[in-house]
Amino acid sequence: MTRQRNPQDSKYRQADWNEPLLFEMSVSGKIAHRLPAVEDEVKSLVGSLDAIIPAAMRRKHSPNLPEISELQVVRHFTRLSQMNFSVSSGIYPLGSCTMKYNPLINEQAALNPGLAWLHPYQDVSTCQGALELMWELEQWLAELSGMDAVTLQPPAGAAGEFTGVMVIRAYHKHVMNEGDQRKEMLIPDAAHGTNPASAAMAGFKIVVLPSSSEGLVDLDALKAASGPQTAGLMLTNPNTIGVFEKDIGEIAGIVHDSGGLLYYDGANLNAIMGISRPGDMGFDVVHMNLHKTFSTPHGGGGPGSGAVGVKEKLTELLPVPRIVKAKDGRFDLNYNLPQSIGKVHGFYGNFGVLVRAYTYICALGREGLRRTSEIAVLNANYIAHHISQIQGFSLPYSPNTPRMHECVISAKNLAEETGVTAMHVAKRLLDLGVHSPTMYFPLIVPEALMIEPTESESKEDLDLLIGAFKQISNEAYSNPDIVKSAPHSTALRDLDEYRAAHPKTLTLSWKMHLKRTAK
Amino acid sequence: MEFKHPYLPVTKEIESEMLNSMGKKSLEDLFGNIPEDYRLKRDLDIPTSKTELEVARRVQELASKNKSADTGRVFLGAGAGIHYIPSVVPALATRSEFLTSYTSYQPEISQGMLQTLFEYQSMMAELLGIAVVNSSMYDMATGLAEAVLMAARVNKKRSRFLVPDTINPVHLQVINTFAEPAGITIEQVGHDQKSMLLDLADLRSKLDNQVAGVYVENPSYLGFIESQVDEMSRVVHDAGSLLVAGVDVLSLGILQPPGDYGSDIVVGEGQYLGSAVSYGGPYLGVFGCRDSMKLIRQLPGRLVGMTRTSNEPYERGFVLTLVPREQHIRREKATSNICSNQALVAVTAAVYTSTLGPEGFRHLGEIIAYRSHYAAKQLNKISGVTAPAFGASFWKEFVVRFEGGVSARMVHESLLKRDLHGGKILTEEYPEFGESMLLCVTELHSKTTIDELVEVVRNVVTNGGGTR
């Protein structure tokens, strides 16, 4: 089949392999790996497998797994990787996700056998380096966030939120004896979906706070919603539209006066490292997404790490075990914390991710971290300024207030004047070698395109992004169909999502596919 | 002097140029919204910037304070597995295009990750003998906690959940963290003292119309194979409860898959599939369920579905699907708060599983069974040592008990002196077992190393702790 290729599109072309599924390549008897044979002495002592594994528990039929050669495995996954856009492929300005460069030294560090090949239950005398790394990282994250103690156990941002709100719950329940009363968690309408989802998992009732006309926390609404039933407020600062909540002192006062605690969603921490600290703003609990601010790779969706920092009065409530440093400088794990919320992960969190965050902080140091935030903010403002000047695009809410690490552009005018929506713009960007921004979030901005360029992008790349928006605007006003029918140059286009989700055609595995097609 | 850094492409000169283009004079103009009171007026108390070479040296310095388990001399399991990783696995799974991408929100340019995750889901489904597997949870412990929550959503009016009292104690701790705020009570079912198998009479007595689900671990944390699964499945389903199975995915080349005995929800630890032990993370919560919309609609986590293009000529493609279960759409009513998951670990598992194939899984299952039984038999020959301490059958892990005044700690210390590492000491958690240790034997443990371990144990037990 032929696809429309626009001469104005970028030179970027993703590979378009027609790669079959592994199952379709399978030929009985092929192998991609050989395992060592069992020694004869071992076999003769043990005897037959039938004697040691009960017959009823033996697998009757071999699993239907692909049988292919080693080179076929290599080609298959190499080709699939080439059909995947990444930070290494091009600009990835996905708002709120902080798609910065993932330094390669971090990867090398995490693969070091002295770190990667440690069993979590090894005697602590054989893991002193790992514990030292974690302990030091805890100190640095506490310093960066202005907190007194940090746990590295939560394996993702949302897991950090759950941990944090569980700590708030335990505080009201066990420290203040107000558990029955403080059942409400206040959450702004522009918050990430994980905030209400995490608070609900911790058993809280969610009270949604409307944003003010400036896109900030509405102080009157906050006052009206706060009271003896309030457990806390979950907030990002800078907030979701990328603006610093200038009234944070008053916000903290209102929440604290009502007896609630202040939770900081660290999704947007990349804006303020070394410039301002959540702990100094009055926050009691913070989570930090190490896969955002501290450059650990997103891996197509994970693994992440959601370290949680707390103020002194909450340290006893953190998950066990805690890493402790003895007077003689030796490190140990302390499980003896009766007030702890328990465990939120099978072991100590995503250690491999912690190693990468550690090397990142090492490499940048105090001056580099601060400079990182400065450039992240500079880049976001550069984008906000130049894109909001393009016909059809605007910067709603406090347009004259500087943005921090990200900005939310609205394509409302473009949609009204040309029929080209934020979705169309996002898809057209793919033709131009750019990953789309976050779309239709936050909900308070119509036709939202949330752009976070990060400090990693050079001015040249930012200009390319601005140029892409200009081209799309021109096209929308002159030949909107080319935008509306985008993307044109990607490996695939116009996938049937309705069919994907319909119970009659839902196919979540090869097994389901075989069953459905056999009918 | 200007601070320059390889990760930061904007120089001071470019900075001025950019500021000028937006009519700003200085960077300070951009930070004006941060009130003075909340500015940090000092440098962060964090070391100064290091060069790449210095960072590499620091990492090596830390790594050299640890003892790596890649020598095949560490006999620890208990939820984390030390297994051989074929070289193709990290080489392919850490390709930059997989490593540095985000969740596949734009399917048109993310077919590679989506197809790989679909293949992961599909291969896990084959191994587990079940239809649906999501694209990952954080680890087995949190996967199990989510399974408990899911069972209570499927069985809406039921708020009790039963687990065997031989359950992995850490998993129990994690489940409790999640179940308590959800108003779900976790109750333990007893076991037969000799075989360690679940006490079916106790299970029957605890089952009623308030029980949302029942958990079976196979092989169990303590290593024994739970052979009453068919009977359990019948009893549990008769009570209208769901059967949740926790399995060792590597055992499924030779052990019956949980789908075959009627499990409704299945969890497992996917770290064993090609990922290093990495001091406890990142791991992979394998999470699946039967092909039933009643269950699928309550699944936590991301799902990749196979579909096609909307128009002819139809081309096959993959998308994230059933998204309205998730937090970014459903917010507080979502099936879970999970957003970032363990996608790259799932990619790793996909490469590993396709590398091993059916033959590899069967062979690996056999090697482990042979070696662990060899180790147990050799240990059991020592007077004062019982291995396995109980249980009719086991596969990879088993409990070894020491008698005659020898403590598990003494054995542990003596092994460490010989550069070997014994199993997890159970004495404190399970005082009823006496002085005991949970040993794990895998394909990484050669006969020679096992013999060495046995020899050290023999010396300790015979000489009351003194080694040669």
Side-chain angles (χ1 to χ4, degrees), chain A residues 138-166:
Chain A
E138 284 185 0
Q139 309 306 307
W140 294 345
L141 294 175
E143 165 68 3
L144 262 161
S145 59
M147 292 287 155
D148 296 313
V150 168
T151 175
L152 304 171
Q153 194 175 119
E161 292 176 13
F162 175 71
T163 305
V165 290
M166 285 296 283

Coordinates of all heavy atoms in Angstrom, one line a residue, chain A residues 138-166:
Chain A
E138 N 19.6 8.8 50.3 CA 18.6 9.3 51.2 C 18.9 10.7 51.7 O 18.1 11.6 51.8 CB 18.4 8.3 52.4 CG 17.6 7.0 52.0 CD 17.3 6.2 53.3 OE1 17.8 6.6 54.4 OE2 16.7 5.1 53.1
Q139 N 20.2 10.8 52.1 CA 20.6 12.1 52.7 C 20.5 13.2 51.6 O 20.0 14.3 51.9 CB 22.1 12.1 53.1 CG 22.5 11.0 54.1 CD 21.6 10.9 55.3 OE1 21.4 11.8 56.0 NE2 21.0 9.7 55.5
W140 N 20.9 12.9 50.4 CA 20.8 13.9 49.3 C 19.4 14.3 49.0 O 19.1 15.5 48.8 CB 21.5 13.4 48.1 CG 23.0 13.2 48.2 CD1 23.8 13.7 49.2 CD2 23.9 12.4 47.4 NE1 25.1 13.3 49.1 CE2 25.2 12.5 47.9 CE3 23.7 11.7 46.2 CZ2 26.3 11.9 47.3 CZ3 24.8 11.1 45.6 CH2 26.1 11.2 46.2
L141 N 18.5 13.3 48.9 CA 17.1 13.6 48.6 C 16.5 14.4 49.7 O 15.6 15.3 49.5 CB 16.4 12.3 48.3 CG 16.8 11.5 47.0 CD1 16.1 10.2 46.9 CD2 16.6 12.4 45.8
A142 N 16.8 14.1 50.9 CA 16.3 14.8 52.1 C 16.7 16.3 52.0 O 15.9 17.2 52.2 CB 16.8 14.2 53.4
E143 N 18.0 16.5 51.7 CA 18.5 17.8 51.6 C 17.9 18.6 50.4 O 17.5 19.8 50.6 CB 20.1 17.8 51.3 CG 20.7 19.0 50.8 CD 20.7 20.2 51.8 OE1 20.3 20.0 53.0 OE2 21.2 21.3 51.5
L144 N 17.7 17.9 49.3 CA 17.1 18.6 48.1 C 15.6 19.0 48.4 O 15.1 20.0 47.9 CB 17.1 17.6 47.0 CG 18.1 17.7 45.9 CD1 18.3 16.4 45.1 CD2 17.8 18.9 45.0
S145 N 14.9 18.1 49.2 CA 13.5 18.4 49.4 C 13.2 19.1 50.7 O 12.1 19.5 50.9 CB 12.7 17.1 49.3 OG 13.2 16.2 50.3
G146 N 14.2 19.3 51.5 CA 14.0 20.0 52.8 C 13.3 19.1 53.8 O 12.5 19.6 54.6
M147 N 13.5 17.8 53.7 CA 12.9 16.9 54.6 C 13.9 16.3 55.6 O 15.1 16.4 55.4 CB 12.2 15.7 53.8 CG 11.1 16.2 53.0 SD 9.6 16.6 54.0 CE 8.8 17.8 53.0
D148 N 13.4 15.6 56.6 CA 14.3 15.0 57.6 C 14.7 13.6 57.4 O 15.7 13.1 57.9 CB 13.6 15.2 59.0 CG 13.4 16.7 59.4 OD1 14.4 17.4 59.2 OD2 12.3 17.1 59.8
A149 N 13.8 12.8 56.7 CA 14.1 11.4 56.5 C 13.5 11.0 55.2 O 12.5 11.5 54.8 CB 13.6 10.6 57.6
V150 N 14.1 10.0 54.5 CA 13.6 9.6 53.2 C 13.6 8.0 53.2 O 14.5 7.4 53.7 CB 14.6 10.1 52.1 CG1 14.3 9.4 50.8 CG2 14.4 11.6 51.9
T151 N 12.6 7.5 52.6 CA 12.6 6.0 52.3 C 12.6 5.8 50.8 O 12.0 6.6 50.1 CB 11.3 5.3 52.8 OG1 11.3 4.0 52.4 CG2 10.0 6.0 52.3
L152 N 13.4 4.8 50.4 CA 13.6 4.6 49.0 C 12.7 3.4 48.5 O 12.9 2.9 47.4 CB 15.1 4.3 48.7 CG 16.0 5.4 49.1 CD1 17.5 4.9 49.0 CD2 15.8 6.7 48.3
Q153 N 11.9 2.9 49.4 CA 11.2 1.6 49.1 C 10.1 1.7 48.0 O 10.0 0.8 47.3 CB 10.6 1.1 50.4 CG 10.1 -0.3 50.3 CD 9.6 -0.9 51.6 OE1 8.5 -1.3 51.7 NE2 10.5 -1.0 52.6
P154 N 9.3 2.8 47.9 CA 8.3 2.8 46.9 C 8.8 2.7 45.5 O 9.7 3.4 45.1 CB 7.6 4.2 47.1 CG 7.9 4.6 48.5 CD 9.3 4.0 48.7
P155 N 8.3 1.7 44.7 CA 8.9 1.4 43.4 C 8.4 2.3 42.3 O 8.8 2.1 41.1 CB 8.4 -0.1 43.2 CG 7.2 -0.2 43.9 CD 7.3 0.7 45.1
A156 N 7.6 3.3 42.5 CA 7.1 4.2 41.5 C 6.5 5.4 42.1 O 6.3 5.4 43.3 CB 6.1 3.5 40.6
G157 N 6.2 6.4 41.3 CA 5.6 7.6 41.8 C 4.3 7.4 42.6 O 4.1 7.8 43.7
A158 N 3.4 6.6 41.9 CA 2.1 6.3 42.5 C 2.3 5.5 43.8 O 1.6 5.7 44.8 CB 1.2 5.6 41.6
A159 N 3.3 4.6 43.8 CA 3.6 3.9 45.0 C 4.1 4.8 46.1 O 3.8 4.6 47.3 CB 4.6 2.8 44.8
G160 N 4.8 5.8 45.7 CA 5.3 6.8 46.7 C 4.1 7.6 47.3 O 4.0 7.9 48.5
E161 N 3.2 7.9 46.4 CA 1.9 8.6 46.9 C 1.2 7.8 47.9 O 0.8 8.3 48.9 CB 1.0 8.9 45.7 CG 1.5 10.0 44.7 CD 0.6 10.1 43.5 OE1 -0.5 9.6 43.6 OE2 1.0 10.7 42.5
F162 N 1.0 6.5 47.5 CA 0.3 5.6 48.4 C 1.0 5.6 49.8 O 0.4 5.7 50.9 CB 0.2 4.2 47.8 CG -0.4 3.2 48.7 CD1 -1.8 3.2 49.0 CD2 0.3 2.2 49.3 CE1 -2.4 2.3 49.9 CE2 -0.2 1.2 50.1 CZ -1.6 1.3 50.4
T163 N 2.4 5.4 49.7 CA 3.2 5.4 51.0 C 3.0 6.7 51.7 O 2.8 6.6 53.0 CB 4.7 5.2 50.6 OG1 4.8 4.1 49.8 CG2 5.5 5.1 51.8
G164 N 3.1 7.8 51.1 CA 2.9 9.1 51.7 C 1.6 9.3 52.4 O 1.5 9.8 53.5
V165 N 0.5 9.0 51.7 CA -0.8 9.2 52.3 C -1.1 8.2 53.4 O -1.8 8.4 54.3 CB -2.0 9.2 51.2 CG1 -1.9 10.4 50.4 CG2 -2.0 8.0 50.4
M166 N -0.4 7.0 53.3 CA -0.6 6.0 54.4 C 0.2 6.5 55.6 O -0.3 6.3 56.7 CB 0.0 4.7 53.9 CG -0.8 3.8 53.0 SD -2.4 3.3 53.7 CE -1.8 1.9 54.7

